Amino acid sequence: MKKAFLVFFFLILPTLVFAAKQEVFVFNWSEYVDPSVLKQFEKETGIRVRYSTYESNEAMFAKLKMVQKAGYDVVFPSTYFVDRMRRLGMFAPLDKSKLPNLKYINPALLNKSYDPNNAYSVPYMWGASAIGINSKYIDPKTVTSWNDLWNPKYRGKVLLMDDVRDVFGMALRSLGFSANDRDPNHIRKAYEKLKLLKPSVKVYNSDSPRQPFLNNEVTIGQIWGGEVYQANQENPNIKFIYPKEGAVFWIDNMAIPRTARNVANAHKFIDFLCRPDVAKKNCEFIGYATTNSKAQQMLDPKTRNHKAVYPDDATVKNGEFQNDVGDAILLYEKYWEMLKTQ
Amino acid sequence: MVSKSGFRNVSIGSTLLWITVFVVVPYLFVLVFSFFQRDPEQIVAAVFTWQNYKDIFSPVFLVVCWNSLILALGTTVITLLVAYPFAFFLGRIPERIRRILLLLMIIPFWTSSLIRTYALIILFKANGIVNGLLLSLKLVDEPLAILYTQTSVFIGLVYTLLPFMILPIYSSIQKLDLRLIEAARDLGATSGHIFLRIVLPLTLPGIIAGSTMVFLPALGLFYIPDLLGGARSMLIGNFIKNQFLTTGNWPLGSAASVILTLIMCLFLYVYFLSSRKARTSGMGEMA
């Protein structure tokens, strides 16, 4: 009886007290965290994680807009949504003194134009969108540029992403413009150029672009590095080529909405995910590249040296990150609809 | 007696409540949003405008609608041609085999249609089962392009929607009075005559019901054409999805949803008229 009382007093009561007080509301993409990492956080800090998921940036944005008061504490927007939501004043500024593990984040991924000085966001997972080829059918040395997709010998064998920004970003880079261009003339030129590519396109796919490669339906096209890495488990002939005009990079970031109720806990949660051992465990579970340099060094050599997953700094510097394009997105979409219906 | 009507009220009431909360109210939001303005900061601004309906009638949207209509219509015709003979024989075979066949038709429904569509990809892909078989039998020299063509889109749609056509036709064939056919044959009618003058008119309600149940879902389905057709054209479903998830133009997406609903209502109205007509003319012929 005495023992039971002691167990209650020292083990159960504290968790009840914490459960009543300490919480953090996390809103993340589905399947984008190792569940055991959340348990570990609860165990180490006593802070209860209230976890829910979304399927698109736009859905997360809408929910934050609709639920004005009882908000989430941590969200995971992509670069261009960090940019947009930061401009709309939807984030609370980060208190860097509460994020000591920030020092482990790869400096090549910090201080980008979508969030100068990372005042509001910490990179979480990242990757590149560049050219994938099947080296059984195409000599990798012959492909160096986005413009190679337009080569008539690949007619009917090309894959493009099924996403307006990814496809137009690629076409704009091939013309020497920015993937975040807002100039209507440049966007129109990209459309004219994509019209020429359309007869070559076999499939638009951004759910899992590795599948048409593995199925021998396409031999060349746009793809993410992580998809090439996964494809290589089945077929080592799928290669990833960073075009000379520069790849387009994505980062999903952690940020704290202005409506957050548990700002201190949110900082603790973000810092926890930046801890190298946690980041390593997490990226092994999710399968994307970690932004954590220390965690990357802890991975097995085959993974951490895979160029498709972890490009060198010069490749990153030569590329571009997706920013918000404001109302120019309406123009992009108009041309996208014309491209798809012609 | 009181408890009986109490049960009736509760069951009807709960269904009505369910439909009101999860269908009528969300739909009213869509209707109201379609008259609001897009606002990059607040998603929508509560300012009345007709602009969304002016924007929607662009050449691009008409092409999108036309693509969707043709696809749905083609699917309906093919499904009807496949389903009718099957339903006809289903109604005439021994009870025991019929039960097994009906069960076989319903079992795939236990699996999500999305997963079944991925299964079709495994069948059709260049290094897939169908092409493997054709190549090993030396019927073709190189893999046939089946996946990412219009053919595979139709196969996928017909495969998914076929039971919705078979079941209503089967039930109307079951109701068919065989004595009418015997009588016609006794009076010297040919098989063609019997089909056109007796069987077809009497099963028309089943055909109309089945066609509606295939046509309307086919109009809105876009993941099957995306997955099997390679997403190379744009359908109404894609158009609406892009307005919400890419451009954040909820009012325009709502207007497109309203238009889609109106098209569906129009076809439901045609269904209502024609099924009433089919029923009365069927009666007339019997009399």
Side-chain angles (χ1 to χ4, degrees), chain B:
Chain B
M1 204 60 208
V2 174
S3 74
K4 208 173 173 185
S5 78
F7 174 73
R8 191 188 61 192
N9 289 344
V10 168
S11 59
I12 294 178
S14 56
T15 312
L16 267 181
L17 187 74
W18 182 270
I19 292 176
T20 310
V21 173
F22 294 110
V23 179
V24 178
V25 171
Y27 202 78
L28 284 177
F29 272 115
V30 171
L31 191 65
V32 170
F33 275 17
S34 74
F35 291 103
F36 281 176
Q37 272 175 12
R38 172 181 182 269
D39 184 312
E41 283 190 31
Q42 299 303 325
I43 301 175
V44 288
V47 182
F48 179 85
T49 176
W50 285 102
Q51 195 57 41
N52 302 309
Y53 287 96
K54 281 180 196 154
D55 288 347
I56 202 90
F57 286 103
S58 62
V60 163
F61 186 70
L62 293 179
V63 174
V64 167
C65 282
W66 179 251
N67 287 345
S68 302
L69 280 173
I70 290 299
L71 195 68
L73 204 66
T75 304
T76 312
V77 170
I78 299 171
T79 313
L80 179 61
L81 292 178
V82 176
Y84 198 93
F86 182 80
F88 193 82
F89 291 112
L90 198 64
R92 327 210 71 187
I93 52 177
E95 179 73 24
R96 206 165 52 86
I97 306 174
R98 183 196 306 162
R99 277 208 194 134
I100 296 170
L101 285 180
L102 278 171
L103 187 70
L104 286 178
M105 202 174 68
I106 288 164
I107 283 175
F109 273 88
W110 298 350
T111 311
S112 140
S113 68
L114 190 62
I115 290 172
R116 284 184 283 135
T117 307
Y118 275 101
L120 286 180
I121 294 181
I122 294 173
L123 281 177
F124 295 155
K125 64 189 186 181
N127 53 2
I129 294 168
V130 171
N131 270 317
L133 202 67
L134 291 175
L135 285 170
S136 64
L137 291 174
K138 304 243 183 284
L139 289 172
V140 292
D141 295 330
E142 55 180 71
L144 287 181
I146 313 172
L147 196 58
Y148 308 131
T149 62
Q150 200 69 2
T151 314
S152 67
V153 173
F154 276 121
I155 293 175
L157 285 170
V158 169
Y159 163 70
T160 307
L161 296 168
L162 193 60
F164 297 102
M165 185 69 94
I166 292 176
L167 290 174
I169 297 181
Y170 162 70
S171 88
S172 69
I173 280 172
Q174 257 197 328
K175 281 187 224 143
L176 199 63
D177 190 344
L178 294 179
R179 286 173 307 177
L180 291 173
I181 298 176
E182 277 169 35
R185 195 160 282 145
D186 286 348
L187 294 170
T190 62
S191 299
H193 254 106
I194 293 172
F195 179 73
L196 285 177
R197 300 291 295 273
I198 297 173
V199 179
L200 198 62
L202 287 177
T203 53
L204 201 57
I207 294 174
I208 295 169
S211 301
T212 316
M213 284 169 77
V214 168
F215 182 82
L216 295 186
L219 204 56
L221 273 182
F222 62 91
Y223 63 88
I224 292 176
D226 272 4
L227 287 173
L228 297 177
R232 271 176 304 179
S233 65
M234 192 177 268
L235 303 171
I236 301 185
N238 303 109
F239 183 89
I240 294 172
K241 183 184 125 199
N242 286 359
Q243 304 313 319
F244 283 94
L245 293 185
T246 311
T247 53
N249 198 346
W250 291 26
L252 190 66
S254 301
S257 298
V258 171
I259 300 285
L260 178 62
T261 313
L262 286 178
I263 295 176
M264 289 188 169
C265 287
L266 186 75
F267 280 101
L268 273 177
Y269 183 65
V270 171
Y271 161 67
F272 173 73
L273 285 185
S274 55
S275 67
R276 203 172 56 179
K277 204 174 156 218
R279 210 175 305 132
T280 50
S281 72
M283 297 272 197
E285 239 159 85
M286 262 201 259

Side-chain angles (χ1 to χ4, degrees), chain A residues 132-134 137-138 156-160 200-203 209-221 238, chain B residues 126 148:
Chain A
I133 61 152
N134 187 334
Y137 303 100
I138 297 173
K157 290 288 176 194
V158 176
L159 178 144
L160 293 185
S200 287
V201 179
K202 176 112 183 196
V203 50
R210 73 175 185 278
Q211 290 302 340
F213 277 97
L214 289 172
N215 296 346
N216 284 344
E217 294 285 347
V218 299
T219 56
I220 188 167
I238 314 294
Chain B
Y148 308 131

Side-chain angles (χ1 to χ4, degrees), chain A residues 80 83 165 179-182 323-330 332:
Chain A
Y80 56 109
D83 193 20
R165 286 294 310 277
N180 301 311
D181 213 315
R182 299 186 189 204
N323 288 358
D324 184 35
V325 291
D327 275 353
I329 189 68
L330 296 175
Y332 277 97

Side-chain angles (χ1 to χ4, degrees), chain A residues 83-115:
Chain A
D83 193 20
R84 179 172 173 196
M85 293 164 79
R86 162 181 80 87
R87 286 169 203 271
L88 294 175
M90 289 170 75
F91 291 140
L94 295 175
D95 182 349
K96 303 275 172 68
S97 69
K98 288 182 180 157
L99 301 170
N101 289 329
L102 209 59
K103 62 174 181 280
Y104 297 115
I105 302 296
N106 184 349
L109 304 175
L110 295 174
N111 192 21
K112 298 289 169 194
S113 57
Y114 69 86
D115 183 14

Side-chain angles (χ1 to χ4, degrees), chain A residues 141-152:
Chain A
K141 288 192 199 76
T142 61
V143 178
T144 56
S145 156
W146 285 121
N147 287 303
D148 289 323
L149 297 184
W150 273 262
N151 190 326

